[in-house]
């Protein structure tokens, strides 16, 4: 009997051991699954967080880039508008001044042979003749110095003004168009004349630009006039009017 009891106990123990093994295996498997699930969840959170951060960063960068582009576009647009406004004001100012001072020059009649030949005698005769000023202005345009003639013509018209308010307004326009260093049509004046103009602009009169007008006149006479007389513009014009003359 003791031997049978021992055998029975051993048998039961073996059953207990082998019976618990499947349950233990199942519990282990379940635990592994739980751990695996937790790891996947943690991994998912870990992966999602950087992804979300990356997306947020991209969104922020996109937003910043968008804001930057908008600011730049807005700034450029504003600058463009301001520049266009300034150019429009300059064109209008130039037109207002030049429309009065260049009408005779632009609508001058065809010159005669005697007039064209007289231009070669002196610069004064050329400048006193409307058709002579017109031809000389066309030549200056080819040399990119037409502003000298425009300034001189504007000053000629300006000296005839008697209304104080009109004098102040036209003086300002002439200054902005031809004296200011910011103007694309700035004429070449020495420092002494510029100082005189700056003083005169405090209380403009019809003689505010007398010194400057004389200096530009002298510059055209010494520099541009000799080249004009030897240019194809003058020679072709002289030939044309000579052929049309009844004397020829």
């Amino acid at each position: 009997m003791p031997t049978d009891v021992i055998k029975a106990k051993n048998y039961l123990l073996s059953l207990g051991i082998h019976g618990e093994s499947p349950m233990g295996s199942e519990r282990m498997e379940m635990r592994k699954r739980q751990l695996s699930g937790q790891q996947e969840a943690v991994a998912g959170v870990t992966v999602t967080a950087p992804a979300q951060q990356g997306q947020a960063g991209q969104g922020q960068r996109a937003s910043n880039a968008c804001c930057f582009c908008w600011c730049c576009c807005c700034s450029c647009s504003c600058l463009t508008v301001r520049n266009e406004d300034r150019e429009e004001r300059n064109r209008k100012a130039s037109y207002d001044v030049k429309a009065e001072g260049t009408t005779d020059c632009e609508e001058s009649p065809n010159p005669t042979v005697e007039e064209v030949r007289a231009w070669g005698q002196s610069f004064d005769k050329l400048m006193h003749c409307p058709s002579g000023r017109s031809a000389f202005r066309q030549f200056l345009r080819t040399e990119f110095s037409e502003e000298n003639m425009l300034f001189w013509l504007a000053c000629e018209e300006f000296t005839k003004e008697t209304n104080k308010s009109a004098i102040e307004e036209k003086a300002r326009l002439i200054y902005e168009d031809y004296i200011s260093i910011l103007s694309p049509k700035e004429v070449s004046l020495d420092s002494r004349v510029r100082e005189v103009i700056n003083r005169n602009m405090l209380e403009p009169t019809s003689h505010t630009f007398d010194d400057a007008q004389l200096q530009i006149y002298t510059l055209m006479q010494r520099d541009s006039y000799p080249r004009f007389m030897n240019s194809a513009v003058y020679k072709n014009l002289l030939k044309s009017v000579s052929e049309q003359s009844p004397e020829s």
Side-chain angles (χ1 to χ4, degrees):
M1 292 295 296
T3 303
D4 294 335
V5 172
I6 292 172
K7 288 180 179 181
K9 288 183 178 180
N10 290 335
Y11 178 74
L12 292 174
L13 289 173
S14 64
L15 287 177
I17 293 173
H18 293 294
E20 290 177 358
S21 293
M23 295 177 64
S25 299
E26 291 178 358
R27 284 197 294 269
M28 290 295 293
E29 186 66 25
M30 290 175 63
R31 188 160 186 82
K32 286 181 181 179
R33 290 177 182 174
Q34 292 176 352
L35 291 174
S36 177
Q38 293 176 355
Q39 290 175 355
E40 290 178 357
V42 172
V45 172
T46 305
V47 171
T48 303
Q52 291 176 347
Q53 292 176 357
Q55 292 176 357
Q58 291 178 357
Q60 184 176 3
R61 286 194 297 272
S63 176
N64 292 338
C66 183
C67 292
F68 177 77
C69 293
W70 181 86
C71 292
C72 288
C73 294
C74 179
S75 176
C76 293
S77 299
C78 293
L79 289 174
T80 303
V81 170
R82 286 196 294 271
N83 290 334
E84 290 176 353
D85 290 343
R86 186 182 300 110
E87 292 175 0
E88 181 64 24
R89 287 196 301 271
N90 288 338
R91 284 195 296 268
K92 183 177 180 181
S94 300
Y95 177 80
D96 290 342
V97 173
K98 291 183 290 186
E100 299 179 0
T102 62
T103 302
D104 293 339
C105 180
E106 293 177 349
E107 298 180 0
S108 60
N110 293 329
T112 64
V113 178
E114 291 76 15
E115 287 176 332
V116 176
R117 289 174 179 170
W119 299 347
Q121 297 174 7
S122 70
F123 184 62
D124 291 340
K125 291 184 178 181
L126 170 69
M127 292 296 286
H128 279 88
C129 178
S131 56
R133 292 195 299 268
S134 179
F136 187 51
R137 176 177 169 183
Q138 292 177 17
F139 170 74
L140 292 177
R141 188 178 297 127
T142 65
E143 292 199 335
F144 305 100
S145 57
E146 184 184 12
E147 66 274 2
N148 291 332
M149 175 64 79
L150 296 178
F151 172 69
W152 187 87
L153 291 170
C155 290
E156 279 291 287
E157 187 66 23
F158 178 70
T159 56
K160 302 174 184 178
E161 187 60 63
T162 57
N163 182 275
K164 184 177 180 181
S165 298
I167 287 175
E168 292 178 353
E169 178 64 14
K170 289 186 177 182
R172 182 183 64 81
L173 295 178
I174 292 175
Y175 188 95
E176 291 178 354
D177 257 0
Y178 303 108
I179 309 300
S180 172
I181 60 175
L182 301 178
S183 173
K185 300 190 296 293
E186 177 195 6
V187 295
S188 179
L189 299 171
D190 60 35
S191 58
R192 181 192 65 81
V193 173
R194 287 185 175 276
E195 290 177 1
V196 171
I197 293 175
N198 290 334
R199 288 196 300 268
N200 292 341
M201 286 298 293
L202 297 176
E203 294 183 6
T205 68
S206 58
H207 300 287
T208 295
F209 302 104
D210 284 359
D211 289 349
Q213 184 184 18
L214 177 60
Q215 189 169 98
I216 293 302
Y217 186 92
T218 303
L219 176 64
M220 291 190 294
Q221 181 179 19
R222 293 178 179 176
D223 186 50
S224 302
Y225 173 65
R227 290 198 299 273
F228 169 71
M229 297 309 302
N230 293 319
S231 69
V233 174
Y234 175 75
K235 292 179 179 179
N236 291 338
L237 179 59
L238 179 60
K239 180 181 178 180
S240 176
V241 295
S242 298
E243 292 174 351
Q244 297 174 3
S245 174
E247 298 178 357
S248 62

